[in-house]
């Protein structure tokens, strides 16, 4: 096991600095500013990378691909789970996986296939904006590292009620356990979707976008089906034929066929969650 794999297994994330050139960063920022015209000051677009060709080059960035392959120690495919963010950050601790409570659902069953999926957060705003990404180390597979009591506290600390309490001034247990990562333009954070994370407060405008990759197996198919077909609220659509062709040429394309109408234990946003989330949009 190499150093990047060891870091990823222990903490659930790795940081890769200076992935993009100044020219590439300027191009992505200009594209996000152009898309911001007529929108609210804070917005996010699920599947935005795939739906806007200006961002497709990031999918094929060789430094990202090399590091993802290094983390997963396997050949990978592009996974259609992506977003654009302008002035937007998550309002609470959460996982990006299909099944978000530890031990419940197929995301946590690796008896048939290993869970080899990653998200790649690309950050473009200046460091002086003050944004930091908080990661709770070890929560991608807490039973490797943590006691049952610690796991219980973490799961309780990430629920919607705990977020409401922290908004009212209560102590945020997870904030004290987190690794807080400051980013500069062009930095990337590669993390397991099962790792608890959230964004900090920030000044000015935050610019970022997210990609995903993985090893094709049961977990990959569940994750694809969840975002592309089961989360209708997110507005995902079929890949553009040109993007599909580019992915095929790079050996990164995965079949888009729906293979499950339901995933046991899949997280779906509750009314309470949606009510709180609206306060942060």
């Amino acid at each position: 096991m190499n150093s990047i794999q060891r870091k990823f297994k222990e903490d659930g994330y790795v940081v890769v600095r200076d992935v993009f050139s100044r020219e590439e960063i300027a191009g992505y920022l200009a594209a996000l500013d152009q898309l911001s015209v007529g929108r609210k000051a804070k917005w996010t677009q699920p599947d935005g990378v795939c739906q806007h060709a200006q961002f497709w080059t990031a999918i094929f960035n060789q430094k990202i691909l090399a590091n993802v392959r290094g983390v997963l120690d396997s050949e990978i495919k592009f996974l259609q789970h992506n977003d654009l963010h302008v002035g937007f950050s998550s309002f609470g601790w959460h996982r990006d996986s299909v099944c978000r409570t530890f031990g419940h659902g197929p995301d946590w069953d690796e008896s048939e296939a290993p869970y080899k999926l990653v998200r790649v957060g690309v950050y473009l705003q200046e460091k002086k904006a003050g944004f930091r990404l908080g990661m709770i180390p070890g929560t991608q597979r807490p039973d490797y590292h943590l006691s049952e009591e610690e796991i219980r506290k973490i799961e309780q600390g990430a629920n919607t009620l705990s977020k409401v309490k922290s908004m009212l001034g209560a102590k945020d247990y997870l904030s004290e356990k987190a690794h807080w990562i400051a980013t500069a333009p062009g930095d990337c954070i590669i993390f397991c979707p099962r790792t608890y994370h959230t964004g900090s407060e920030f000044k000015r405008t935050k610019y970022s976008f997210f990609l995903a990759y993985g090893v094709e197996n049961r977990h990959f198919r569940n994750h694809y089906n969840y975002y592309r077909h089961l989360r209708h609220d997110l507005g995902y659509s079929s890949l553009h034929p040109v993007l599909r062709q580019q992915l095929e040429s790079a050996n990164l394309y995965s079949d888009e066929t729906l293979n499950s109408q339901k995933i046991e234990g899949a997280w779906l946003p509750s009314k309470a969650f949606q009510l709180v989330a609206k306060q942060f949009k």
Side-chain angles (χ1 to χ4, degrees), residues 198-211:
T198 194
S200 72
E201 295 182 356
F202 52 88
K203 302 173 183 177
R204 303 180 182 176
T205 302
K206 170 181 166 285
Y207 295 89
S208 60
F209 60 88
F210 287 74
L211 308 168

Side-chain angles (χ1 to χ4, degrees), residues 1-271:
M1 182 181 296
N2 61 38
S3 59
I4 192 172
Q5 291 168 351
R6 188 176 301 108
K7 166 73 173 173
F8 188 80
K9 181 177 181 179
E10 291 178 356
D11 293 340
Y13 74 92
V14 295
V15 182
V16 185
R17 304 290 186 183
D18 300 318
V19 172
F20 296 98
S21 68
R22 291 182 180 180
E23 292 74 18
E24 289 172 317
I25 293 167
Y28 294 139
L29 286 171
L32 288 169
D33 281 336
Q34 183 179 37
L35 290 171
S36 295
V37 175
R39 298 180 188 243
K40 296 180 180 179
K42 298 179 180 181
W43 61 271
T44 179
Q45 184 179 358
D47 202 32
V49 172
C50 289
Q51 294 182 22
H52 299 285
Q54 304 97 308
F55 300 94
W56 293 354
T57 54
I59 297 171
F60 305 95
N61 180 278
Q62 290 303 307
K63 192 169 184 178
I64 289 177
L65 293 176
N67 277 277
V68 171
R69 290 181 179 119
V71 165
L72 299 181
D73 192 29
S74 301
E75 279 305 309
I76 58 172
K77 301 295 183 183
F78 176 69
L79 178 56
Q80 193 181 355
H81 177 194
N82 61 96
D83 334 78
L84 301 176
H85 294 172
V86 172
F88 175 87
S89 187
S90 58
F91 76 88
W93 297 101
H94 65 284
R95 292 179 165 117
D96 288 347
S97 50
V98 177
C99 307
R100 302 190 179 183
T101 300
F102 169 66
H104 296 272
D107 276 354
W108 303 98
D109 179 2
E110 299 188 57
S111 60
E112 296 180 11
Y115 190 91
K116 288 194 171 187
L117 309 178
V118 299
R119 291 271 272 160
V120 180
V122 179
Y123 296 91
L124 304 171
Q125 72 282 341
E126 293 294 332
K127 201 168 186 176
K128 60 187 176 183
F131 174 79
R132 297 176 300 157
L133 183 68
M135 307 291 294
I136 308 296
T139 49
Q140 82 285 359
R141 192 73 206 207
D143 54 339
Y144 287 168
H145 314 279
L146 306 175
S147 67
E148 291 185 7
E149 176 64 14
E150 189 73 357
I151 293 171
R152 183 187 65 79
K153 288 182 179 179
I154 289 172
E155 295 296 326
Q156 288 182 343
N159 64 32
T160 303
L161 180 59
S162 293
K163 177 58 186 178
V164 173
K165 288 180 178 178
S166 68
M167 290 167 60
L168 298 175
K171 183 178 179 180
D172 184 354
Y173 173 74
L174 296 186
S175 182
E176 296 181 351
K177 291 190 67 62
H179 293 175
W180 290 98
I181 307 156
T183 61
D187 288 348
C188 293
I189 301 176
I190 300 173
F191 62 97
C192 175
R194 299 186 307 197
T195 307
Y196 270 126
H197 61 283
T198 194
S200 72
E201 295 182 356
F202 52 88
K203 302 173 183 177
R204 303 180 182 176
T205 302
K206 170 181 166 285
Y207 295 89
S208 60
F209 60 88
F210 287 74
L211 308 168
Y213 304 87
V215 176
E216 273 192 297
N217 60 25
R218 172 193 183 194
H219 301 294
F220 185 105
R221 298 309 309 166
N222 277 348
H223 201 96
Y224 168 76
N225 284 335
Y226 175 74
Y227 281 97
R228 172 67 180 83
H229 296 290
L230 303 185
R231 287 294 302 277
H232 303 293
D233 56 306
L234 298 179
Y236 275 68
S237 60
S238 299
L239 293 176
H240 190 285
V242 175
L243 177 56
R244 173 177 173 168
Q245 184 179 44
Q246 291 178 3
L247 290 167
E248 289 175 336
S249 296
N251 197 30
L252 292 172
Y253 177 74
S254 179
D255 181 68
E256 298 174 66
T257 303
L258 171 66
N259 69 341
S260 177
Q261 294 288 346
K262 184 178 180 181
I263 301 172
E264 177 190 357
W267 180 87
L268 295 172
S270 66
K271 290 183 179 180

